[in-house]
Amino acid sequence: MNSPLKVAVLGCGSVGSQVVRLLGEQADDLAARVGARVELAGVAVRRLDAPREVDVPDGLLTTDAAALVARPDIDLVIEVIGGIEPARSLILSALENGASVVTANKALLAEDGATLFEAAEKAGRDLYYEAAVAGAIPILRPLRESLAGDKVTRVLGIVNGTTNFILDKMESTGAGFADALEEAQALGYAEADPTADVEGFDAAAKAAILASLAFHTRVTAADVHREGIADVSAADVRSAKEMGSVVKLLAIAELVPGAQGEEPAVSVRVHPAMIPRSHPLASVRGAYNAVFVESEAAGQLMFYGPGAGGAPTASAVLGDLVTVARNHRQGTRGVGESAYADRALLSMGETRTRYHVAIDVDDRAGVLAAVALAFADHGVSIQTVRQEGRGNDAQLVVVSHEATDAALAATVEQLRDMDIVREVTSVMRVEGTEE
């Protein structure tokens, strides 16, 4: 057996503690898979006396993370602190000092991944990050390696378990958003401050990472159109059910064909949408995640499983650790950043989509024609219309054919200004094949 490889772990929370546990429990198996023993050399924490889910061996805890990653004997660094700083500085220091890095930090990769990849390239070291998206679900490695000889055209995913739990609860019980969120918090599926999840920030970071890998183009979280689920109502969910659909918060990255003679562009967005019950993602329940990939040669692929949690995420971290450790022992590197395509990024207004619009209107002759004319004014074709009478007023539910999001948004604004329209009560995008 070769000389042992020294590993430093940054962070010992729900994920870090599971990483430490697995390093100890699976030491012999890891050694057999790597070809050398993998030894825990230090664990950086904020407080030495904080309660932890695992017993860290004596002498390995430290509050000086900077000194730990700068040690010349450290071969591999696992970063599970999260956030931008000090994680970025620590990863850069680790690479500069000759260590390869495994991270689960989606926010940092989505904000400043280019800096990290360039540092890894310069240092001749690995930067792996499977755990940054969808927990234990192996999705990044297939995009980076298994599909490297194919052309990915679309990635559609449920990549946030908190929002999926909330929407699933609204669909199954008829509860409103606030009540479903309260239950998610009581069960530990949502944080006390759920903003990152329910406003779509978490999903947007993951969408940026997925799009970067799928389309060989640098995409940051700032490039992703983002909408959360706080405005999704019980009425929206009921309306979706009447259409044979469900509401999901989707991360969508797609390659959009250009005009004749122009290169394809990339569209990346996160928003709630109605999808048909026949779509594979419609059956994803509770806090589970799933990613649906479409490519030219392989066709349609589905990746499903637990998208968060200490043990599932630690599983992805250890998978990367084995690969990086093998590379380190053999003096090689794995696949680095692939951004050669450098495709243009479409704005949300340029992206083609469909709308479901619920409108309270006066119940009198000519209303439907006036509403249809508003859609026509912006070049938007109507697929279906459903009308329900309510005394002196009525509700129209309109589903459009595909059009640019800008045209659809302008249509909704025109509807809101019409005298016959009392209120546009709901606007939601529709994904899936048009019937």
Side-chain angles (χ1 to χ4, degrees):
M1 189 68 71
N2 293 282
S3 299
L5 297 173
K6 303 284 189 179
V7 178
V9 177
L10 308 181
C12 199
S14 61
V15 177
S17 62
Q18 295 301 313
V19 169
V20 170
R21 178 182 66 81
L22 291 174
L23 283 172
E25 291 180 359
Q26 299 184 13
D28 290 341
D29 286 336
L30 290 172
R33 294 166 191 167
V34 171
R37 296 201 72 79
V38 179
E39 293 185 357
L40 184 63
V43 179
V45 295
R46 290 180 181 175
R47 291 174 42 214
L48 296 177
D49 59 348
R52 293 186 176 85
E53 300 175 14
V54 66
D55 292 327
V56 179
D58 291 341
L60 295 187
L61 285 175
T62 177
T63 57
D64 193 347
L68 178 60
V69 300
R71 278 172 43 181
D73 63 324
I74 297 296
D75 300 300
L76 310 168
V77 170
I78 296 173
E79 184 273 311
V80 285
I81 299 172
I84 308 302
E85 289 293 352
R88 173 169 46 199
S89 296
L90 292 171
I91 289 174
L92 292 175
S93 176
L95 292 167
E96 290 167 2
N97 284 281
S100 290
V101 174
V102 174
T103 179
N105 197 328
K106 56 186 173 289
L108 177 55
L109 287 162
E111 178 172 307
D112 197 19
T115 297
L116 304 184
F117 293 124
E118 288 167 2
E121 179 73 24
K122 181 179 179 181
R125 292 292 181 262
D126 279 328
L127 174 66
Y128 273 53
Y129 50 99
E130 181 67 60
V133 177
I137 302 172
I139 179 61
L140 301 189
R141 194 183 299 265
L143 286 174
R144 185 176 58 239
E145 299 174 15
S146 304
L147 296 171
D150 204 344
K151 182 179 182 180
V152 175
T153 55
R154 198 165 194 248
V155 180
L156 181 73
I158 295 168
V159 294
N160 183 271
T162 298
T163 53
N164 200 59
F165 177 88
I166 292 170
L167 292 171
D168 185 39
K169 186 60 61 174
M170 292 173 69
E171 201 272 338
S172 62
T173 68
F177 169 77
D179 289 339
L181 171 59
E182 185 177 347
E183 182 173 351
Q185 289 172 320
L187 294 172
Y189 290 122
E191 302 287 345
D193 179 1
T195 303
D197 294 319
V198 301
E199 294 298 337
F201 290 101
D202 175 82
K206 294 169 181 175
I209 295 169
L210 289 168
S212 298
L213 282 173
F215 307 125
H216 308 282
T217 296
R218 284 180 177 171
V219 179
T220 70
D223 298 318
V224 180
H225 175 83
R226 176 192 54 79
E227 297 175 27
I229 66 167
D231 292 332
V232 176
S233 67
D236 292 329
V237 175
R238 285 196 302 273
S239 189
K241 187 177 293 189
E242 290 170 2
M243 290 173 56
S245 299
V246 296
V247 178
K248 298 291 187 182
L249 182 71
L250 299 178
I252 305 169
E254 55 192 350
L255 198 58
V256 180
Q260 189 171 6
E262 294 182 359
E263 289 292 316
V266 174
S267 169
V268 193
R269 49 201 165 103
V270 167
H271 55 69
M274 297 180 180
I275 57 173
R277 289 188 181 276
S278 58
H279 194 285
L281 290 179
S283 61
V284 178
R285 308 296 299 271
Y288 274 73
N289 284 193
V291 181
F292 193 73
V293 178
E294 299 176 15
S295 67
E296 287 190 351
Q300 298 178 334
L301 306 170
M302 178 86 158
F303 301 82
Y304 170 85
T313 305
S315 170
V317 169
L318 266 291
D320 276 351
L321 174 69
V322 169
T323 300
V324 171
R326 286 171 177 165
N327 292 344
H328 192 93
R329 189 178 68 82
Q330 295 167 3
T332 62
R333 291 185 65 221
V335 179
E337 183 188 26
S338 176
Y340 72 89
D342 193 25
R343 301 188 187 279
L345 299 174
L346 285 184
S347 68
M348 188 62 199
E350 299 172 283
T351 299
R352 296 185 67 82
T353 184
R354 298 161 62 207
Y355 272 20
H356 169 282
V357 187
I359 317 160
D360 285 346
V361 298
D362 294 338
D363 192 3
R364 54 186 170 88
V367 168
L368 182 57
V371 168
L373 183 60
F375 279 81
D377 285 344
H378 298 280
V380 179
S381 175
I382 292 175
Q383 181 186 9
T384 63
V385 179
R386 187 174 75 249
Q387 180 173 345
E388 296 178 2
R390 297 180 178 178
N392 293 327
D393 62 4
Q395 184 179 67
L396 295 178
V397 177
V398 181
V399 178
S400 75
H401 283 294
E402 190 177 87
T404 65
D405 198 79
L408 287 160
T411 302
V412 171
E413 287 308 304
Q414 182 173 330
L415 291 170
R416 289 192 168 114
D417 290 337
M418 294 170 65
D419 292 339
I420 59 170
V421 174
R422 301 190 176 186
E423 184 182 6
V424 178
T425 58
S426 173
V427 179
M428 187 171 293
R429 294 179 183 87
V430 179
E431 294 294 326
T433 304
E434 295 190 44
E435 299 295 337

